[in-house]
Amino acid sequence: MPSPQRKTPSVHDLPVDPRVEALVNEVIGRVADKWTMILIEVLIEHGELRFTRLGELAGGISQKMLTQTLRQMERDGLVIRTIHPVIPPRVEYRLTDLGLSLGEAFCGVWLWAEKNLQAIEDARVAFDIRAKA
Amino acid sequence: MPSPQRKTPSVHDLPVDPRVEALVNEVIGRVADKWTMILIEVLIEHGELRFTRLGELAGGISQKMLTQTLRQMERDGLVIRTIHPVIPPRVEYRLTDLGLSLGEAFCGVWLWAEKNLQAIEDARVAFDIRAKA
DNA sequence: CAGTATCCTTTATGATACTG
DNA sequence: CAGTATCATAAAGGATACTG
């Protein structure tokens, strides 16, 4: 890795419009939401799913949050919501290409988390011991 | 957060230890936190920084959240906090290898957001128009 | 089934004041 | 400077009841 002193070898290798950066932050804040990530994960693994099934597979999500998160995702162009006009209603959700690409981008974080779980737990234990002193 | 007995199958259909998965979710939940990501970004770009400077560069963070987020990051092994015993106090923060690797993993999401900013805005506009009908 | 609507609790965050 | 402590409030989220 390049030493931190060198000219910012970060994501931004070019002059960054602060307004663009602010928007990126906002998008990341919204999009990197816990339930959004989990729903994308579930949709990648299972493909198109109905509302209730999606909730079951996500695990521990309330109906309210499920609706709310799905609406946001739909608005952001991450999922497509298909209503089948039957009784009882059948509504299915699937990822758009945009949603899929976000899942792939986020995959790196997921892998990072799995890989470094133990390191984090160790760090916490060490910190808590230090903190007691 | 622990959901009361989830008979729900795991996010993966693969044999994944649910406790591991819960931890991964928790870690991602924390890591996908807005200020954590911004602080990592700033630390990658500027290297070791003092408390106040870090806050300035992060932009719009309250002292309370800065302290709180940095403590969490330190506990998770993402940053190292160095206290120089002088008056006035001088405390510097820098990323650990773990913190740096998280920044790199998250880089994909950052790039995704930059790249797809316009697509998201377009999707929102389109959705809002549809919603009015 | 797939939501809405409502109430209510918890959590997150901000503002302010104070200290070694 | 680099915090800590406290109060206040906004926002997130859950439980429950109801509906087309």
Side-chain angles (χ1 to χ4, degrees):
Chain A
M1 272 299 88
S3 60
Q5 292 82 338
R6 295 184 82 195
K7 178 159 190 337
T8 68
S10 85
V11 179
H12 307 109
D13 28 358
L14 294 176
V16 184
D17 183 343
R19 290 178 307 174
V20 169
E21 189 172 323
L23 271 175
V24 170
N25 277 344
E26 190 243 298
V27 167
I28 287 181
R30 162 156 348 220
V31 125
D33 158 79
K34 174 191 173 187
W35 289 123
T36 301
M37 290 335 307
I38 291 176
L39 292 182
I40 287 182
E41 169 84 358
V42 170
L43 286 169
I44 285 180
E45 294 196 4
H46 295 84
E48 197 168 38
L49 287 170
R50 298 179 66 172
F51 181 82
T52 300
R53 183 69 182 136
L54 192 43
E56 288 169 359
L57 291 171
I61 189 173
S62 67
Q63 199 179 36
K64 178 181 173 180
M65 287 313 296
L66 183 55
T67 301
Q68 195 173 305
T69 306
L70 284 171
R71 282 293 176 286
Q72 272 182 165
M73 291 173 73
E74 190 192 0
R75 187 169 110 97
D76 287 347
L78 302 179
V79 298
I80 288 174
R81 175 165 172 266
T82 310
I83 306 169
H84 297 91
V86 296
I87 297 177
R90 177 184 188 87
V91 179
E92 296 192 298
Y93 294 88
R94 69 174 193 278
L95 289 179
T96 61
D97 287 347
L98 190 61
L100 182 61
S101 70
L102 174 56
E104 284 161 358
F106 199 78
C107 190
V109 179
W110 196 279
L111 292 175
W112 179 91
E114 277 187 347
K115 182 182 171 196
N116 295 291
L117 213 58
Q118 193 58 52
I120 292 171
E121 293 206 309
D122 292 349
R124 287 180 184 175
V125 169
F127 180 92
D128 292 346
I129 288 173
R130 280 203 311 277
K132 281 207 290 194
Chain B
M1 307 302 91
S3 39
Q5 62 144 41
R6 26 186 299 191
K7 58 185 181 226
T8 314
S10 98
V11 171
H12 311 276
D13 273 341
L14 312 167
V16 175
D17 182 346
R19 296 166 57 203
V20 169
E21 187 183 318
L23 272 174
V24 170
N25 277 343
E26 190 240 299
V27 166
I28 286 181
R30 146 143 347 160
V31 130
D33 162 75
K34 176 189 172 188
W35 290 124
T36 301
M37 288 333 306
I38 290 177
L39 292 181
I40 287 181
E41 171 81 358
V42 169
L43 286 169
I44 285 180
E45 292 196 3
H46 295 85
E48 196 168 38
L49 287 170
R50 296 180 67 173
F51 181 82
T52 300
R53 183 69 182 137
L54 192 43
E56 288 168 1
L57 291 171
I61 189 173
S62 67
Q63 198 180 36
K64 178 180 173 180
M65 288 312 295
L66 182 55
T67 301
Q68 196 174 304
T69 306
L70 283 171
R71 282 293 176 286
Q72 270 181 165
M73 292 172 72
E74 190 193 359
R75 188 169 110 96
D76 287 347
L78 301 179
V79 299
I80 288 174
R81 175 166 172 265
T82 308
I83 307 169
H84 297 91
V86 295
I87 296 176
R90 177 184 187 86
V91 180
E92 297 193 300
Y93 293 88
R94 69 174 194 279
L95 290 179
T96 60
D97 288 347
L98 190 62
L100 182 62
S101 71
L102 173 57
E104 285 161 357
F106 200 79
C107 190
V109 179
W110 197 278
L111 292 173
W112 180 92
E114 277 189 346
K115 183 181 171 195
N116 296 291
L117 213 57
Q118 192 58 52
I120 293 171
E121 295 206 311
D122 293 349
R124 288 180 185 175
V125 169
F127 180 91
D128 292 346
I129 288 173
R130 280 203 312 277
K132 281 208 289 197

